[in-house]
Amino acid sequence: AQKITQTQPGMFVQEKEAVTLDCTYDTSDPSYGLFWYKQPSSGEMIFLIYQGSYDQQNATEGRYSLNFQKARKSANLVISASQLGDSAMYFCAMREGNTNAGKSTFGDGTTLTVKP
Amino acid sequence: SAVISQKPSRDICQRGTSLTIQCQVDSQVTMMFWYRQQPGQSLTLIATANQGSEATYESGFVIDKFPISRPNLTFSTLTVSNMSPEDSSIYLCSVDKSGGLTDTQYFGPGTRLTVL
């Protein structure tokens, strides 16, 4: 089974609106970290936001927030007030603390297009 | 975070030749990883670069094809040997600065390789 599932290959959003990118994960390790990265067409992987499995509150970083629902094993990224520069590929990833030797597992990505 | 540089940023190579990619970090880091991202795909881990010892390769990747060096805690190289067009990818260096197995991994800007 895939450890990270991103079910939306492509998403469109109107400029200035909010958008949610879905991510579900699968692990039996109680200690893990969840991440979102943005990859523009230049190819660079830009770290956006982190959520630890023991964190009580949802992570927020500026316009980015992570809707962490532990029981449902979901870690959706919410981008508020979308900007044209948000158009990129977005990857959800996980690192497990006790298994997999700290290696990250990535989802297949979601291509976000922001329309003017 | 960590400041990571990669050289070269891009290259076009002939089949059968080899290319060495360098990754330099601005501070000592515990873990360094090399990823490959084929066109339109997600990231695939090639190997974990271990300081002072042989790299740990993932299934499907072998040392003869992707030799890796890590002479110190701030530098690593990945060589893509005997290249074929199927090796055309973005190659990304990634680091874990803290050593915490669930902490954030940061990525270099990537090396975009085209093999003719």
Side-chain angles (χ1 to χ4, degrees):
Chain A
Q2 269 197 310
K3 287 203 168 190
I4 297 286
T5 303
Q6 294 180 251
T7 57
Q8 308 153 314
M11 288 282 286
F12 290 89
V13 65
Q14 206 68 38
E15 192 178 9
K16 299 180 185 175
E17 291 185 350
V19 62
T20 298
L21 306 184
D22 294 341
C23 173
T24 58
Y25 60 93
D26 183 24
T27 181
S28 56
D29 193 326
S31 175
Y32 53 90
L34 297 159
F35 313 88
W36 279 91
Y37 294 89
K38 172 185 178 181
Q39 188 178 44
S41 56
S42 62
E44 187 174 3
M45 288 286 286
I46 302 167
F47 166 72
L48 296 177
I49 196 166
Y50 164 83
Q51 180 85 42
S53 60
Y54 297 117
D55 293 343
Q56 296 295 314
Q57 293 188 316
N58 287 345
T60 60
E61 290 285 350
R63 293 188 299 110
Y64 303 108
S65 60
L66 200 152
N67 184 2
F68 181 47
Q69 297 187 45
K70 194 170 183 177
R72 297 180 61 184
K73 293 188 175 178
S74 75
N76 299 338
L77 176 70
V78 181
I79 305 174
S80 63
S82 296
Q83 302 171 356
L84 295 178
D86 293 334
S87 294
M89 178 78 89
Y90 289 80
F91 289 97
C92 179
M94 175 174 66
R95 294 183 81 190
E96 294 161 286
N98 299 308
T99 56
N100 220 18
K103 294 177 283 190
S104 287
T105 304
F106 286 82
D108 290 337
T110 296
T111 301
L112 176 66
T113 303
V114 180
K115 299 195 281 187
Chain B
S1 65
V3 177
I4 308 165
S5 60
Q6 279 185 240
K7 288 183 190 177
S9 58
R10 59 175 63 228
D11 207 340
I12 301 173
C13 301
Q14 297 296 319
R15 70 169 66 214
T17 62
S18 298
L19 176 72
T20 295
I21 302 168
Q22 298 179 5
C23 177
Q24 179 74 55
V25 191
D26 68 335
S27 59
Q28 294 185 343
V29 295
T30 306
M31 303 182 81
M32 294 181 79
F33 305 90
W34 285 98
Y35 288 83
R36 180 176 76 180
Q37 185 180 26
Q38 294 180 302
Q41 304 290 316
S42 185
L43 279 72
T44 302
L45 181 64
I46 298 171
T48 304
N50 302 308
Q51 194 265 328
S53 65
E54 203 168 275
T56 305
Y57 288 84
E58 297 301 303
S59 175
F61 296 96
V62 295
I63 187 171
D64 290 345
K65 175 68 176 177
F66 297 101
I68 287 171
S69 78
R70 190 174 174 194
N72 55 52
L73 292 176
T74 63
F75 185 79
S76 177
T77 66
L78 167 75
T79 299
V80 186
S81 303
N82 188 24
M83 287 184 285
S84 67
E86 292 70 37
D87 294 319
S88 296
S89 298
I90 298 175
Y91 291 85
L92 293 142
C93 168
S94 173
V95 306
D96 168 2
K97 193 170 183 181
S98 70
L101 293 177
T102 62
D103 291 340
T104 304
Q105 276 185 252
Y106 296 96
F107 285 83
T111 296
R112 193 180 294 267
L113 172 62
T114 303
V115 184
L116 302 177

